[in-house]
Amino acid sequence: MTKTITISNNIDYKEIKESAYDFLDKYSNGRLPINLLDIINKIDNLHLIKYTRFARDRKLKLKEVCELLQSEDGALWYQTATDTYILLYNDTITNKERIRFTVAHELGHYVLKHNEKTEKTILSRYNLTEDEYNTFEKEANFFAKHLLVPFPVLGNYSLFFHQMDARFIRIVFQVSYSVANYVIGNLKSMSSFGLVKDGHDVENRFAKYIDTSQSTRICQTCYSKINRNSNYCHICSTEQRKGSSTLDAYLDNREREEERMRYYKYPLDEDGFPNSCPRCGNEELNGCVFCNVCGVYVRNICLGDCGDNYDVWGHSVPIQEQLANGCGKSLAGNSRYCPDCGGKSSYFFQGLLKNWDIEKKESEGLPF
């Protein structure tokens, strides 16, 4: 006997929104844009398959796959015998944002258990009543929007920049213009009631990523990631202007992220000490500031404007003569310079770190 269900026209949008946030809180890696593939890989009874692979495995044409699944975009196929799901999407579609929304939409059907509620292996206009189909599609669309653009996370950016626009949402969350504009409409509606963001624990899941993205930027000289309020780049010593907290400045900086250079970094503890000597690898430092094997100064601190490493006779200048010259700030394991005063670091002074441009060229495989 075919199971029939009663559909109410009153969709509980608040509950669906909470379901999307709970789902993200459980499966997201806490970074933006939302990594849908990473999420799906964490769910045991859900598998992602491309239309082209599905067609190849079953010796079908793409058109036949669309007809079988009754969709040109995607479908959620429920395998009742094994209680597993196959999420299929049309990978021949060139619009990346459209594919992302399709996958998020089908995840909505999965989380909201639409297949199980109707006992349908595939949801379509042809095996559901009009009310059932329309209701499920609205619910899945609403779920997808809040999965891709979680308002508790978006609200943090709105508060930080004191504004929000569709371009920012489209680029940072990787959604289409239509979704971004729809979200802006929601934000305006919320602001009319004095609200800026939704409250949910999922915000904590993204807290580290949000803090880092708001407090850092990319140096335009060496393309390392630096603190937004640094006076100097700690890699190349380029003097920095104060970071601008605007949407456009953030997006411009985000574009440079693709060219970001990750310079070699010695691991240091919270007090600035390495677990082993950065020169000889001696692991028995016992809290000493000078390695008892090779004599190198093991902490990376600011030595100030100490000039060259050699005196007028060409002799190496002992680091002991430089320790009191700088501001003494404890620096990161890849810092050549102090971000506050621009002074040279003890690691760079001792030759433990290469010139930034040499390391960058080596990483790019470029000739000197």
Side-chain angles (χ1 to χ4, degrees):
M1 178 182 291
T2 302
K3 181 178 180 180
T4 58
I5 62 173
T6 301
I7 292 292
S8 170
N9 291 326
N10 296 321
I11 298 175
D12 192 340
Y13 288 110
K14 182 178 180 181
E15 182 178 347
I16 294 172
K17 182 170 60 175
E18 292 292 314
S19 297
Y21 298 161
D22 289 342
F23 185 71
L24 275 179
D25 198 24
K26 183 176 182 179
Y27 292 110
S28 171
N29 61 8
R31 298 179 61 82
L32 297 175
I34 303 300
N35 190 327
L36 298 175
L37 178 60
D38 180 67
I39 289 174
I40 293 171
N41 285 338
K42 294 175 182 175
I43 304 174
D44 292 335
N45 72 334
L46 181 62
H47 310 284
L48 187 68
I49 297 180
K50 301 175 181 179
Y51 271 25
T52 53
R53 177 187 167 186
F54 188 82
R56 184 180 64 251
D57 291 347
R58 287 161 177 77
K59 295 180 172 56
L60 299 171
K61 296 179 180 178
L62 186 65
K63 182 179 180 181
E64 292 174 322
V65 173
C66 294
E67 291 174 350
L68 174 65
L69 301 177
Q70 299 170 14
S71 172
E72 294 184 356
D73 289 284
L76 186 69
W77 194 344
Y78 182 38
Q79 313 286 298
T80 55
T82 57
D83 190 32
T84 57
Y85 288 84
I86 299 176
L87 197 164
L88 301 111
Y89 71 96
N90 190 346
D91 53 310
T92 66
I93 293 173
T94 57
N95 188 313
K96 177 172 60 178
E97 288 76 19
R98 178 178 167 183
I99 290 178
R100 281 175 55 77
F101 192 85
T102 294
V103 173
H105 174 97
E106 300 305 330
L107 277 172
H109 287 312
Y110 169 82
V111 173
L112 301 174
K113 300 184 181 300
H114 288 160
N115 297 70
E116 296 174 43
K117 288 178 180 178
T118 60
E119 294 185 351
K120 304 293 184 182
T121 56
I122 297 177
L123 306 173
S124 75
R125 289 185 182 274
Y126 308 109
N127 61 12
L128 297 173
T129 68
E130 185 176 353
D131 283 346
E132 287 174 346
Y133 179 79
N134 290 336
T135 297
F136 288 158
E137 288 298 288
K138 288 179 181 177
E139 290 181 346
N141 282 338
F142 192 77
F143 180 95
K145 180 186 70 174
H146 285 277
L147 183 74
L148 295 174
V149 191
F151 280 40
V153 178
L154 176 63
N156 275 281
Y157 287 107
S158 296
L159 289 170
F160 181 76
F161 294 112
H162 304 294
Q163 59 176 317
M164 185 51 58
D165 62 26
R167 176 173 174 255
F168 180 93
I169 295 171
R170 180 178 59 81
I171 294 175
V172 173
F173 293 89
Q174 255 185 42
V175 294
S176 66
Y177 281 103
S178 58
V179 171
N181 286 325
Y182 194 73
V183 169
I184 288 295
N186 290 157
L187 291 178
K188 290 179 179 178
S189 178
M190 290 171 61
S191 65
S192 67
F193 293 97
L195 300 174
V196 178
K197 68 174 184 176
D198 289 332
H200 192 279
D201 288 343
V202 72
E203 178 183 342
N204 298 326
R205 183 80 165 178
F206 291 83
K208 184 177 180 180
Y209 176 85
I210 293 171
D211 179 66
T212 299
S213 68
Q214 292 175 353
S215 62
T216 60
R217 57 177 168 164
I218 303 300
C219 173
Q220 296 187 42
T221 300
C222 66
Y223 288 90
S224 63
K225 179 171 281 190
I226 61 175
N227 187 286
R228 182 173 294 276
N229 296 316
S230 294
N231 295 322
Y232 300 87
C233 173
H234 70 114
I235 299 294
C236 67
S237 77
T238 299
E239 189 171 1
Q240 303 290 315
R241 291 178 296 177
K242 294 298 181 183
S244 176
S245 298
T246 66
L247 294 176
D248 287 341
Y250 179 90
L251 293 178
D252 289 343
N253 182 73
R254 188 181 179 89
E255 289 180 0
R256 287 197 292 272
E257 277 276 2
E258 297 180 2
E259 301 178 68
R260 178 189 170 190
M261 173 67 188
R262 290 171 171 80
Y263 293 88
Y264 179 77
K265 187 175 186 178
Y266 291 101
L268 306 176
D269 64 21
E270 58 183 14
D271 295 319
F273 284 90
N275 292 325
S276 61
C277 174
R279 173 175 287 166
C280 70
N282 172 31
E283 296 181 351
E284 298 179 358
L285 297 174
N286 300 320
C288 297
V289 293
F290 288 95
C291 176
N292 58 350
V293 174
C294 68
V296 76
Y297 187 77
V298 298
R299 293 190 67 209
N300 195 23
I301 65 170
C302 173
L303 300 181
D305 185 14
C306 54
D308 295 329
N309 300 29
Y310 302 93
D311 60 22
V312 294
W313 306 105
H315 300 137
S316 177
V317 177
I319 192 173
Q320 291 89 334
E321 297 181 12
Q322 305 292 343
L323 292 176
N325 293 340
C327 67
K329 180 182 177 69
S330 181
L331 306 177
N334 60 354
S335 294
R336 279 85 167 157
Y337 301 94
C338 174
D340 293 345
C341 68
K344 185 179 289 188
S345 78
S346 55
Y347 277 13
F348 192 37
F349 178 84
Q350 297 176 104
L352 298 174
L353 295 170
K354 300 177 181 179
N355 288 336
W356 70 268
D357 53 343
I358 293 177
E359 184 175 341
K360 190 171 189 296
K361 287 178 181 178
E362 287 179 344
S363 71
E364 296 170 347
L366 298 175
F368 293 100

